[in-house]
Structures are given as structure tokens and as C-alpha cells.
Amino acid sequence: MSIAKRVQQWATFARTWHIYDCTWQNPFESAKLVKTHLMGLQKPIYHPMIFSRGLCTSHKLLPIYQVQKRSMGRLGVVDPSSYSQPDLITTEHSALNWKVDFGATKIQGSVLHRFKVLTANLDKILLDVRDINVTNATLLAGGSELPINFFISDAVDDIGQKLTLELPSGTAKGSLNVRIDYETSSSASGLQWLNPAQTLGKEHPYMFSQCQAIHARSVIPCQDTPAVKFTYDATVEHPTELTALMSALIDKKEAGKTLFKQEVPIPAYLVAIAIGKLVSRPLGENSSVWAEEAIVDACAEEFSETATMLKTASELCGPYVWKQYDLLVMPPSFPYGGMENPCLTFVTPTLLAGDKSLADVVAHEIAHSWTGNLVTNKNFEHFWLNEGFTVFVESKIVGRMQGAKELDFKMLSNLTDLQECIRTQLDKTPELTKLVVDLSNCGPDDAFSSVPYIKGSTFLRYLEDLFGGPTVFEPFLRDYLKKYAYKSIETKDFQSALYDYFIDTDKKDKLSAVDWDLWLKTEGMPPVIPKFDESLANVTKELASLWSSKSVAELTDSAEIKKTISIHQLIDFLGKLIECKDIVDLTESKINLLESTYNLKSSKNAEVRFRLNRLVIRARLIKRLEEVLEFANSNFRMKFCRPIYRDLAGWPEAKPAAIRNFVSVKDQMMAVCSHTIEKDLGLK
């Protein structure tokens, strides 16, 4: 058999088994390439150019490389969850050319990356992918196009795959353009496809993305790490009757085609798209809200304070660089409260309480415009740099708009949520309660919790108090954001900024008072709880104590339970009641009394309904299981459905029904939601 024929057989074999998915330039080099590049494979690999004892007369194919199944480990030096090598090469700009196919539930097209090569003689580019079908890779140089070899490794669970692009020998430092033609999987983890029946209008399909933390790799072959920031433009073909939006400014609109530009560098997880039958209403000079027609006016009313929040955040943090700030109210399957996609924040419809009581989430997402989007954690081990700072700034926005007591009450209420998270979600993984975590063998989705949000913001409040309060600390905050704007950083960079700012001031002695290891590496609740104004929190604390310690008969005649409280106090009280170790007489009668006293049955507030359903589960009211599951099916926001399913998993009588219900609706959830609930229910 000729060498050429053997090479052809090898290529067919390799592609069939997804071992060596590449285009062929120099097949005589392929044996060396396989050995050099293919990792994570659990199959023996054979190559037709290797012959027994070097004799060409033998047609026996010998195994040349075999890697045993291994634990995930750190995929990269800079980011444990990314194969990319931003210390060697970084993305400067990406041009997306997409055709959105609702019938196949796929995005088809290409991405043209402009890379900056940081080291001489770079022989390959490593990118992150997940269930992406790459059909071609091309090097663009000097007006010509050169096809390049590429191949994809086997998948690592919950992480994805490594795409290797081979470069010509002698590749120099500087700019490099590579186009990748591809299509996404019909079940891409970063995309959600809804049929018309799953939308409010019932007439048109809907698609949206959620790329944080590491799901951009299921939408774009890219350096899917927050260590890399790039600008992008996009040309998106879509059904003419639908509107396309992205985390970018609309540059041009044609029938069935929309062009976008994002001129501020962002990490891959902030690339976002949504397509549906959408309309908008203005919220301010540079702000609008988008939603389906049936709810857009209610959304405009609910989020009418957006412009004020944006102005307040700018006063705290500095100029707003993103030009436009729009909101898109998502379908109920959106898994988060909000997602800070630049120019277009995604928010859950569970914020529509009718009284603006849950609109603080918008303040949180606005704060991300500086803390997370402008200054970004280098990898998700330092996620608190995104979320802790954002909760800290969010509380300040609330404080300036509603008063200092509300600021402190909000932070104290957050501690109640953190306590519950540590007790339940993270009870078997206490190492994830550290402020800086180790993601060597844990995906960011599995590590996601309220710890970086609340423990992080509590640390910042502690520092603010230590260094002299807001008048001293807020100028430092603005200086920190200015210093690291457009950069990706680690915790040590924040430490350095704090030291540099205060070392030559009368506060320098405070620097040595900060026990960094205690705050960053200790498990559990924050090691120090700052001194908050507890006047509003004491009311909820006393109510929780009363309802947990008194019988129904004693409570019925109590004047204390009839005192007027705010909606935020009601939410906090119910949360504290859930956290009470013992609740006397927790029966159907006590739940009924709770509902009638605080008009819970008529509440549209999802936070209230969520906590009431958890109390119903704790009371083991099997007759009300159907309404608990109905609430769980009404939205797939992980903040709500994950604790509900965890609680049901601990109730033997209800667990089978919970599993059946989950199986029936899991296909309506985004992958990040179904993946984590499967673990909560012990199915994975």
C-alpha cells in the first residue's frame, strides 16, 4: 500500500474517532504533531508513518501516544479553567459573522480573531471550545489566505475542549489574523432556544446567551478567560420579524441583518446576544428597557429609577465609558437575577414585583460597569474582585438614594443569605467558602455561590471602617478603578493598590492591621463583622425570634406581629425564620397565620414567595407540594430553584416528585441551571 494511501486511511480513521480533527498540509509531520499536541485522550493512537523497526515493508500500525484518564488539574498557567495562553498570545479584536438558525437551534458562521503574539516562534494557538464543530481555520496575511492545521482534544467534564491551531514555523511577535469557520451545537451550554409556546407572545421563537462564567467557548472558539480583553464587532443574520440585541452598540440595521460594535475591550464572558420579538421604552437620555410587548410598560415603570442609579454610580466610580445602558427583561428561564452585559444588562422577570422593591438588582448590574466590566478578575479564583466590589458599590448606591440605615440593613440582610448558603449549598465543600478559592479541580459553575458577593463586600466595608469611613475610602475606590481600568487583575493587585494609596498618608499604620490571610484564606463566615446600624435589622431579628419560639395560640393574640414593616424587612424576617434552628409548632396553622398576617398569598414579590415556599417545605406540608413545584417551574433563576430542589431532596416523601418534576422541565433550563440542580438532587 502506498504511503499516500496509508495517510488517507489515517486521516479518515482519525476524523471518524474525533482523534485528530485537522486539515492536512504536511502529513509527514503528523506523527510528531500528534505526540506534541494531543492531550487528554483515552484511546491509543496509531499513525501510518510509523513502521515496525523502521522497515517500510511492515504495514503494522503501532501505538505512538496514549494518555490515561486524568483529573482536570489546572488547564493553564494564568487561568485554571482555560486552555488559552494569554501570557504568550492575546486577542485584540474579534469580528463575528453569524447566521442564527432557529430551525436547527444553531449559530453558523465564522470569527476572525486579531491576535497579538507576545513571544517569538510561537508554534500554536490554543483556544477554548465546547461542543463546537470547527470546519476550517485560515491564516490571513499579506492579502493571502493560508489554511492551517487544527485539531480538538477530548472534552473535560464541565469545562470543554482545547482547540489547537498550528502556526507556520518562525511566527514572529506582532499582529496575527486567523479566521475560524464553525457552527455551535444545537445544545450549546451558553445558548437558550425557546419555541413560541415558551414566550409571552406565543407567536415567535426567542434565543439568548449566558456566557459567564466559561460558556463563551460554546458560542465562539476563543480565549475564554477574563485575563483576555478584546473589542468586537458582529454581523448577525436573523429572521426579519425579530429584533437582535448584543452587548454592544447597534451600528447598522437592515432587514434580517444587524451590525454591532463594542469598542471597549471586554472578556469573552461578556459577549452576549438575544433575539426575539422585542420592543423598547425609554428610561433616560442614554437608557431604554427592552422586553416582549405584553410586559414592556410594566418593566418601564418597575425600572424607572435606572437613570438615577446610573448617575449615582458615576458620582461614586467615575465616568461611564460604555455610552449606552439598556435593560433587557428576559424570559423566566434566565438563570440569574441579572447579567452585566455591557450596554445591555439582562435581568430576570422575577424582579417585576409591582412596587420597585426588587429593582436594587439593577443598581448591582450598573455597578458592574466599573467593578467587573472595567476592572476585571483575571480568573474566577478571584471572583470576589468582581462581585464583592459590586455588592459594596450597589449598597452605596442604595444608601445615597434611600439613606444610611437602608445601606446597613441591606448589608446585614446579605449576611443572613450568606449564613444560609454556607449551611446548605457549601456544607460539603467548605473550601469554597474562602474568599480566594482554588479551581484546579473544580469548574467555576460548581464554585458559584454568594460567598464572593457577601464575604467580599463585608471585607471591603471592614476596610472602609478601618481606614476612616466613606470620606476616606471612596476616593481610594475611584483611584483603584482608574488605576486598573481596562485591565484584568488578581487579589495581589488590589492589595498593592491599597498599599500604594495609603502608605504615604496618616493611615499607613492601618495597612499592617489588615490580616489578609485571615480574610482571604479562612473558611466560613467573615472573620470580622463590621459595626452596622442595626435598628432596621433588630425588628426582623425580634420577629424571627417571636415566630420561632411561640405557638400559634400565643402568636394569634400578639400585638407584636401586627406592627408595620417594610417589604425589605419582610423578606429579611422570612429569611431569618428559615435560619432558625428550631421553630415551635411549625404546622399548617402557623403557615396560614403567617400568610394572613403579612398578606403573603397575594404577594407578587418573588423573594417573598420563595421564602414562603421554603417554610412550607420545612413544615412538611405535602398537600402543598404542588404549589411549591409550581413556583419552581415559574422561573429557572438559580437563586430560587436550587434551594427549593435542595430542600425537597432532603424530604424523603417529596423527593421522588421533585425528581420527576425536574426531569420534565430540565430541557427548558439553561445548562448551568440543570447541571447544578442535578447535583443538588444527587443525580450527577
Side-chain angles (χ1 to χ4, degrees), residues 283-335:
L283 295 175
E285 185 179 351
N286 63 334
S287 184
S288 297
V289 61
W290 294 84
E292 290 190 69
E293 182 95 46
I295 60 168
V296 70
D297 290 323
C299 295
E301 175 61 27
E302 199 79 24
F303 304 125
S304 62
E305 295 178 322
T306 296
T308 303
M309 291 177 178
L310 189 58
K311 181 176 181 292
T312 305
S314 298
E315 292 169 355
L316 279 163
C317 301
Y320 181 76
V321 304
W322 307 93
K323 296 182 181 178
Q324 186 75 12
Y325 185 82
D326 285 357
L327 296 170
L328 173 60
V329 181
M330 306 298 289
S333 55
F334 184 62

Side-chain angles (χ1 to χ4, degrees), residues 384 388-389 391-393 395-396 399 403-412 415 453-470 473 494 519 528-534:
W384 82 276
F389 272 84
V391 172
F392 184 65
V393 173
S395 68
K396 286 184 170 293
K405 284 188 177 181
E406 286 290 341
L407 185 161
D408 281 10
F409 178 59
K410 184 172 184 61
M411 296 200 78
L412 282 167
L415 289 171
Y453 294 73
I454 301 170
K455 197 171 183 177
S457 59
T458 304
F459 180 34
L460 292 171
R461 175 59 180 264
Y462 160 79
L463 290 174
E464 180 175 76
D465 292 350
L466 178 67
F467 283 92
F473 203 73
F494 166 65
W519 277 97
V528 179
I529 303 299
K531 185 171 177 56
F532 296 110
D533 183 319
E534 299 186 16

Side-chain angles (χ1 to χ4, degrees), residues 354-548:
D355 58 3
K356 305 179 186 179
S357 59
L358 302 181
D360 289 355
V361 169
V362 175
H364 180 93
E365 306 309 332
I366 285 174
H368 265 306
S369 302
W370 292 267
T371 53
N373 295 6
L374 197 61
V375 179
T376 309
N377 52 226
K378 186 171 284 188
N379 63 53
F380 290 103
E381 294 182 323
H382 301 271
F383 193 39
W384 82 276
L385 293 174
N386 277 22
E387 297 299 350
F389 272 84
T390 300
V391 172
F392 184 65
V393 173
E394 171 199 353
S395 68
K396 286 184 170 293
I397 296 171
V398 170
R400 291 196 178 192
M401 293 178 65
Q402 301 175 19
K405 284 188 177 181
E406 286 290 341
L407 185 161
D408 281 10
F409 178 59
K410 184 172 184 61
M411 296 200 78
L412 282 167
S413 299
N414 287 342
L415 289 171
T416 301
D417 293 340
L418 177 61
Q419 185 179 31
E420 192 272 343
C421 170
I422 291 172
R423 178 181 62 83
T424 58
Q425 180 186 341
L426 302 178
D427 64 326
K428 293 182 175 62
T429 53
E431 66 277 5
L432 295 180
T433 65
K434 297 176 182 178
L435 205 48
V436 176
V437 295
D438 181 358
L439 297 182
S440 296
N441 289 293
C442 178
D445 288 342
D446 291 322
F448 182 83
S449 76
S450 63
V451 170
Y453 294 73
I454 301 170
K455 197 171 183 177
S457 59
T458 304
F459 180 34
L460 292 171
R461 175 59 180 264
Y462 160 79
L463 290 174
E464 180 175 76
D465 292 350
L466 178 67
F467 283 92
T471 57
V472 176
F473 203 73
E474 286 178 6
F476 158 71
L477 176 65
R478 283 191 292 273
D479 185 78
Y480 160 79
L481 293 171
K482 183 178 180 180
K483 180 175 183 177
Y484 292 119
Y486 310 105
K487 295 182 175 68
S488 299
I489 65 171
E490 297 179 351
T491 299
K492 63 183 180 182
D493 298 306
F494 166 65
Q495 291 177 261
S496 175
L498 189 75
Y499 186 89
D500 292 345
Y501 187 87
F502 287 108
I503 190 60
D504 293 325
T505 72
D506 59 353
K507 307 293 182 182
K508 63 181 180 181
D509 59 310
K510 303 296 184 183
L511 292 166
S512 59
V514 181
D515 190 335
W516 290 93
D517 282 350
L518 184 67
W519 277 97
L520 302 177
K521 300 178 181 179
T522 301
E523 297 175 356
M525 292 291 286
V528 179
I529 303 299
K531 185 171 177 56
F532 296 110
D533 183 319
E534 299 186 16
S535 55
L536 296 176
N538 283 337
V539 174
T540 62
K541 184 178 179 180
E542 290 166 6
L543 278 175
S545 176
L546 189 68
W547 280 86
S548 64

